[in-house]
Amino acid sequence: MMGMTRERAQTLALAALVAFNVVAAFLVADTPFSVGAFVVSAIICLTVLVAVALIAKDPDVWEPRIGQGLGRRVIYALVFVVVVLFILGLVF
């Protein structure tokens, strides 16, 4: 893979994670909680992909908006939701 930069590899990995999570939600998950956890995991990956694309497009505008404050809190909140859904999926 000549010419593949680290950023490109990370973007492809995130896109693969989105596809994996969506497929797992419909084919592997046993409970609605597990389905929700896989879907929210895909949303987290898409959020990160959009954030990276916006920062790459215009770093002066988007880096202060996404890199600090609200952007991180949204990601952390989504991660918390995923953890809760996976735990509920294991229990029920």
Side-chain angles (χ1 to χ4, degrees):
M1 295 178 139
M2 295 188 60
M4 173 147 316
T5 63
R6 181 179 178 188
E7 291 81 17
R8 171 96 37 183
Q10 289 172 344
T11 302
L12 290 174
L14 279 171
L17 277 173
V18 169
F20 167 78
N21 281 316
V22 170
V23 168
F26 293 110
L27 298 179
V28 178
D30 295 338
T31 66
F33 296 115
S34 298
V35 172
F38 282 120
V39 169
V40 175
S41 295
I43 291 170
I44 290 171
C45 294
L46 285 174
T47 304
V48 172
L49 280 171
V50 169
V52 168
L54 288 172
I55 290 173
K57 183 174 178 147
D58 194 354
D60 294 333
V61 173
W62 291 106
E63 180 69 35
R65 294 180 184 177
I66 295 173
Q68 306 163 3
L70 182 63
R72 285 189 183 172
R73 284 183 286 206
V74 168
I75 296 293
Y76 292 150
L78 289 173
V79 168
F80 179 74
V81 168
V82 167
V83 169
V84 169
L85 287 172
F86 271 124
I87 290 172
L88 289 172
L90 290 173
V91 172
F92 296 109

